[in-house]
Structures are given as structure tokens and as C-alpha cells.
Amino acid sequence: MNTAGHPEATAPRGLELTPFRGLRYDPDRVGSLAAVTSPPYDVVVRPDGLHHLQDADPYNIVRLILPQATTPTARTELAADALRRWLSEGILTADPEPALYVYEQRHPDGMLQRGLIGALRVSEPSEGIVLPHEDVMPHIVADRAALMRATQANLEPLLLTYRGNGTAAEIVDRTAERPPLLSTTTEDGYSHRLWALTDPAATALVQADLARHQALIADGHHRWATYLRLRAEHPSPSPWDHGLVLLVDTARYPLRVRAIHRLLPGLPVAQALAALDGRFRVRRLEVPLPEALDALADAAGAGNAFLLAGDGAFHLLDRRAPTLLDRTIPADRPTAWRTLDATVLHATLLDHIWHIPEDDPTRIAYIHDTAATVRKAERDGGTAVLLHPVREEVVRDLARQGITMPRKSTSFGPKPASGLVLRALDL
């Protein structure tokens, strides 16, 4: 990455979170706040989900983060035109003063997450301040960069975690005792509340605490890579020196870590199993999905394990051949990386055994929803590959060593809802 024009990139600093004037929907101009929100752009992967969000409200944020047109240029122009129109019509309005935003998500199952939304100084991985843990796909970074250039905005925050349990977390919790700026419940059952932290003394205490910490990218690697690209394009200082993030203290509010599954539409289950040729033990499980996932969890405790589905049953793969990794995975990487399920899936199963390129969207899809992955495999005659999630401490340890995991290895959550607060670069 070219850092010319950014001499500060070599200065050792911690997290620098800056207040900004948030763009928010005027609740009197939209059907409901819930109706204009969306999951992050990369979670809205099914056309029916996209159409559902578009139909929920004519101003749903999905029209900005996933504009629908026939060419990439037309898509970005569509989003930029919509944003300009919504601003001129007062659908979106800027808050009167800069703020850090306290954001809370709560679910009836007991899940509670609180964090801070702000403009974070963009830093290179070599600085050790913001740690990526997954590789990115260049075409997605290019797509997100084009969208941000056209709209001159950060349309949705990415999710970062740190472990502090200090002053910043205390101020977050005290702020959450006040009446919120907004409160809404989305159809997934999560309630969302947002507060503006504008007191200079409290903001200074938060910033001083965060300056002692580093963060892990939990969700949003492509958006962070986009921030880096756009910062390099603009001489510093500029608004592109910062990017919109949600920062969660997982010492106070642990996230849930789930796997992201793979769908192989052109590979029938029978063909996938035949290609294994004794390299894994295979057991057929004719049980419901929850019981199959329990069996996967048990097997994952003893080594690499995967569930294949798509033919009306589940097939548990475990007890790989002793020399399999030596023949399929580079030996110059740490053992913790070489034995990750995602590493074995991509290097051994996809590349070596099934000969499926990981960057071909016609042959592999990445899906968060377990049941949806199985249903689509059964409907289309393909293979669903279900994974067991990686522990957060494993992810963090690898990231601190500068080692990235295969793309789409983890799904941290809950993810922030898109559409509750946006950042315009010209404010």
C-alpha cells in the first residue's frame, strides 16, 4: 500500500476515535426506523433478501449499500444520486454537532452488545493498531471503493473489537442509562438504541483510554482495505484519513463467533464424497440439523471436521489421513494456521481434492445462515460444506502474529445494523 503523503503512518499510536456529525434518518419522513435498516452489505447475499429490504421502505439503506443497476458505474451513480436526493429532501439529516455514538443491540435470548461508533484513524497492519485476520478479494475492495468515492460517504460501520474493560466501557454504560436518540426493533428480534456522546470531557476520557489499545477486525475486512486504498489516494490531512467503525470492548461484551459456510453449486454430494478417496473418515448422519451440528462440534474438538449436505442427509468428515496436510498445505506457516478448518477446507478440499477456485463466484458461495446453505444445496443439487466456528482467542493470537486466515473464516456478531448512522466525508 502506498503511504506517500502520510508520514504519520510510522508513528506508534493506539486507537484514535474521533467524533463526527452523523447522518441519520428523520423518523418523521420514513415508515419506521426498522424499515430503513439492513444487515451489512455482505450479509444480504440472496436476491429475495435484497428485494424484501427494497420493498420494506423506498428509503431503505440497501439502496445505497447495494444499488441495483446493469453496470458498476451505473450502480455507484445510482447510489450517489439517491444519497444526494435524500439529503436535499431531508430524509437524511446531519446531527448538529460532532459526537461519538454509543450503540446498543439487545436480543430476547439475553445477548447484549454495546460499543462506540466513531471515525477511526486509518492505519496500516504493520502499525499493529488495527489487526486484520482474513484475506480480502480485490474485486470487492474495488467495488466498495467506487461506491465510497461516488457517495463521498462511509455508509455503514465495520465491526472492531478490543479488550479493555476500562474508562471507555464505563462511560459507554453510563451513557446507556440516558434516554436514547433512537430506539427500534428489527425483524430479527434485535432491539437497537443509539446515544450521542458530545461532552468534551467524557470524549477526552474515552479517547485517552482507547489510545492504549489495539483492535481486531471482527467484520468488515473489505471495508477496512477500502479505507486504506482511499486514504492513499488523498493527500493528508483529509477526511479519508478516518473511517466509520463500531468498536466493541469484548472484555465487557463478548461477541458470538459463528462459521461462514460454503456452497458448491456445481459439485453434487456423491461426487464430493467419491473424490475424498479415503482421505477422511466419512460417516452418514440421518438426523436433524441441530444434532448434526452437535456431532460436528464433538468431532472438531479432536481435529479438523466438516459436514457435507445437499442430498437429504449429513456426512461428517473427520480423522483426516496423517500425511494429508504435509502434501497439501505449505509447511512454512504456524501450526495453528495450518490446522485451521478453513485452511484445510481451502488448501486441501477445495484446491487439492475438488479443484474449485475460491475466487470463482459461479462455483463457490459464502453463506452465513446454516439452514439456508443446506436448503440451497438440496434445491440446486450442490454441496453445502458446514464448518465449526473458530474461538476468538485463536483469531486474535494469529492476527497479532500478522497471520491472516483464509477469507470468510469467521462471522462475529451481532453485526451492527446498517442505516442507523452514516458518515459524510464533506461534513
Side-chain angles (χ1 to χ4, degrees):
M1 179 66 66
N2 176 23
T3 56
H6 300 280
E8 78 285 1
T10 59
R13 289 182 274 187
L15 299 168
E16 296 182 22
L17 195 66
T18 302
F20 69 103
R21 291 180 63 197
L23 291 182
R24 297 190 295 111
Y25 282 97
D26 182 343
D28 295 329
R29 301 296 305 275
V30 296
S32 72
L33 289 175
V36 294
T37 64
S38 163
Y41 80 96
D42 56 339
V43 179
V44 188
V45 293
R46 302 193 314 273
D48 56 334
L50 178 66
H51 297 151
H52 172 73
L53 291 165
Q54 289 176 329
D55 294 343
D57 191 283
Y59 301 110
N60 189 283
I61 190 67
V62 78
R63 297 180 184 273
L64 301 184
I65 63 174
L66 283 175
Q68 297 300 292
T70 55
T71 68
T73 300
R75 286 197 295 272
T76 57
E77 290 177 350
L78 189 65
D81 290 345
L83 179 57
R84 284 192 292 266
R85 185 172 66 255
W86 296 1
L87 289 169
S88 66
E89 295 174 359
I91 304 301
L92 287 168
T93 60
D95 283 337
E97 57 183 322
L100 297 178
Y101 294 87
V102 172
Y103 175 50
E104 176 189 277
Q105 292 169 276
R106 188 186 295 266
H107 194 271
D109 66 6
M111 181 71 187
L112 173 63
Q113 175 177 292
R114 287 179 183 151
L116 285 160
I117 296 177
L120 186 70
R121 185 182 74 87
V122 176
S123 58
E124 298 285 346
S126 59
E127 297 180 64
I129 297 171
V130 175
L131 306 175
H133 71 269
E134 288 184 357
D135 294 329
V136 297
M137 302 180 217
H139 72 280
I140 296 180
V141 175
D143 175 76
R144 291 296 101 185
L147 184 63
M148 289 188 204
R149 288 191 202 99
T151 58
Q152 293 286 294
N154 300 150
L155 300 173
E156 49 183 345
L158 55 86
L159 176 61
L160 303 180
T161 75
Y162 77 106
R163 297 189 64 79
N165 205 18
T167 303
E170 294 170 1
I171 292 174
V172 164
D173 285 347
R174 285 203 301 271
T175 303
E177 295 172 357
R178 306 192 326 236
L181 284 176
L182 64 85
S183 178
T184 190
T185 300
T186 45
E187 61 182 16
D188 58 5
Y190 276 96
S191 63
H192 307 261
R193 297 198 295 170
L194 192 76
W195 296 262
L197 181 64
T198 56
D199 176 64
T203 299
L205 289 172
V206 167
Q207 291 174 320
D209 186 11
L210 295 179
R212 301 182 296 108
H213 295 287
Q214 62 181 185
L216 175 73
I217 301 177
D219 184 69
H221 283 81
H222 289 92
R223 279 166 284 168
W224 186 256
T226 301
Y227 292 166
L228 285 166
R229 173 179 293 191
L230 294 172
R231 186 191 71 160
E233 294 175 359
H234 297 82
S236 185
S238 84
W240 299 100
D241 291 342
H242 295 78
L244 186 63
V245 307
L246 167 63
L247 189 59
V248 174
D249 183 349
T250 53
R252 184 74 63 102
Y253 296 105
L255 297 181
R256 291 173 174 167
V257 187
R258 293 188 171 95
I260 302 176
H261 308 297
R262 275 61 169 165
L263 176 68
L264 312 177
L267 181 68
V269 173
Q271 184 178 334
L273 293 172
L276 294 175
D277 192 26
R279 296 179 177 97
F280 285 84
R281 180 177 71 167
V282 180
R283 287 178 286 165
R284 181 182 178 93
L285 308 176
E286 300 204 21
V287 297
L289 177 58
E291 293 182 29
L293 292 175
D294 288 342
L296 174 62
D298 290 341
N304 299 121
F306 309 91
L307 273 180
L308 305 190
D311 61 350
F314 295 98
H315 306 269
L316 180 62
L317 278 56
D318 65 356
R319 297 188 185 179
R320 53 177 164 74
T323 62
L324 184 59
L325 300 195
D326 295 334
R327 292 184 281 114
T328 59
I329 298 178
D332 60 348
R333 306 297 293 273
T335 300
W337 182 88
R338 297 183 75 247
T339 56
L340 286 170
D341 284 344
T343 301
V344 175
L345 170 60
H346 281 259
T348 303
L349 288 171
L350 291 176
D351 186 29
H352 183 78
I353 296 177
W354 294 330
H355 308 294
I356 295 176
E358 63 179 10
D359 56 354
D360 184 347
T362 67
R363 301 189 64 188
I364 183 170
Y366 301 85
I367 303 179
H368 294 74
D369 187 294
T370 308
T373 310
V374 175
R375 285 197 302 270
K376 187 162 181 59
E378 292 179 341
R379 183 172 66 244
D380 299 344
T383 294
V385 184
L386 309 182
L387 290 87
H388 187 66
V390 184
R391 300 190 313 278
E392 180 180 353
E393 56 267 31
V394 173
V395 177
R396 193 177 298 275
D397 287 347
L398 287 171
R400 283 175 174 155
Q401 297 176 57
I403 299 168
T404 55
M405 300 166 64
R407 60 193 61 170
K408 300 295 183 183
S409 294
T410 60
S411 176
F412 285 83
K415 304 179 190 303
S418 298
L420 296 181
V421 60
L422 293 67
R423 175 179 176 249
L425 274 293
D426 55 0
L427 289 179

